[in-house]
Amino acid sequence: MEKEIEKKKLRILCLHGFRGSADILKKLIFRWPESVTGKLDLVFLDGPFPAQGKSPLEGFFDPPYFEWFQSNKDFTEFYNFEECLKYIEDFMLKNGPFDGVLGFSQGAVLGAAIPGMQRDGVALTKVPKVKFVIIISGAKFGGSTYGIPKLATNAFSSPINSPSLHFLGEADFQRKDGEILLECFVDPQVIHHSKGHTIPKLDDSNVEIMLGFIEKNSTTFKQGTSLSTV
């Protein structure tokens, strides 16, 4: 039994960006070295709602494109947020358990709030709490750009203890938001890169950071309860 636990990969639910798709995110993530991706059980999910406008990815990646939730132009009012969380919870019930969440852009904004919402018992209450998050080009609900959906009102009211790994791009228009988000986590780790609002390839130093984060969290779970039961 112990050997089975040792060999089990971290199972991660991956949430794509605004008007993207599971297939697009998968293609971008699997540009990372096999030394990283081979240690993870990555599961990619399409958002619940078809894109309601032009995707910034048109011309680069084929449709269809999806959204996790919608908002008004200044991000002060949100729509279908509760439905989005119910959709994710149903998927996790059928395909989990999941150890962590990886999100990019809109998926990262959503993913960053999940630990706090689970802690407060307002969302994803039927599934085990996620143990860590990987945030790529993320932002904080209630930060400098985004308002707060009702269910996420208290998500960042106290520091989040979940381990977190944050990607910050020097040319990312959302960099400021990502830096604000860092302050919400107790012990955030950061990967800096020179690119913009994208999923960067990993250089040798960033591969080491990724592997360290994976190993640290794998070790934590091995010493505690089996991954299949937490």
Side-chain angles (χ1 to χ4, degrees):
M1 182 62 181
E2 185 64 27
K3 290 183 178 179
E4 292 179 4
I5 295 174
E6 291 287 329
K7 292 179 181 179
K8 189 172 179 66
K9 298 178 180 179
L10 294 177
R11 189 166 174 81
I12 300 177
L13 179 62
C14 302
L15 310 178
H16 61 76
F18 179 64
R19 293 177 183 169
S21 71
D23 185 59
I24 293 170
L25 181 60
K26 184 175 183 179
K27 289 176 180 177
L28 294 171
I29 291 295
F30 275 92
R31 296 187 306 176
W32 291 352
E34 199 276 336
S35 62
V36 172
T37 58
K39 294 182 179 297
L40 304 171
D41 181 8
L42 300 167
V43 180
F44 298 83
L45 176 64
D46 284 323
F49 306 108
Q52 295 189 341
K54 182 178 176 63
S55 170
L57 300 175
E58 287 183 24
F60 299 97
F61 296 97
D62 293 333
Y65 311 110
F66 302 91
E67 301 172 5
W68 294 104
F69 53 87
Q70 291 85 32
S71 68
N72 58 2
K73 290 184 178 180
D74 57 1
F75 306 112
T76 57
E77 296 180 13
F78 296 89
Y79 316 105
N80 297 319
F81 191 72
E82 185 173 346
E83 290 82 356
C84 166
L85 293 172
K86 179 66 167 59
Y87 169 81
I88 291 174
E89 183 175 59
D90 288 345
F91 182 83
M92 294 175 84
L93 281 170
K94 294 175 183 176
N95 299 278
F98 290 92
D99 305 305
V101 169
L102 177 152
F104 168 66
S105 190
Q106 189 186 50
V109 178
L110 176 61
I114 286 177
M117 290 189 290
Q118 284 191 305
R119 175 198 64 209
D120 296 338
V122 297
L124 304 180
T125 58
K126 297 179 182 178
V127 295
K129 292 179 180 179
V130 298
K131 300 300 190 295
F132 62 86
V133 291
I134 300 174
I135 304 299
I136 307 172
S137 293
K140 175 190 175 184
F141 282 128
S144 60
T145 299
Y146 294 89
I148 309 177
K150 185 177 179 181
L151 287 180
T153 299
N154 296 312
F156 301 106
S157 60
S158 60
I160 295 174
N161 283 310
S162 303
S164 60
L165 178 62
H166 305 251
F167 284 65
L168 295 180
E170 291 180 12
D172 190 347
F173 68 86
Q174 205 158 270
R175 180 182 176 87
K176 173 81 172 170
D177 295 277
E179 291 172 342
I180 291 172
L181 185 60
L182 286 180
E183 301 172 3
C184 301
F185 288 82
V186 172
D187 186 26
Q189 289 185 260
V190 183
I191 284 180
H192 295 279
H193 62 90
S194 61
K195 304 298 183 180
H197 196 73
T198 188
I199 298 167
K201 295 181 179 179
L202 300 177
D203 61 24
D204 290 344
S205 63
N206 290 336
V207 165
E208 288 304 310
I209 294 174
M210 281 289 302
L211 292 176
F213 184 80
I214 292 168
E215 179 60 28
K216 180 180 178 181
N217 287 288
S218 297
T219 301
T220 299
F221 297 148
K222 289 171 189 173
Q223 292 174 346
T225 309
S226 166
L227 284 173
S228 63
T229 59
V230 293

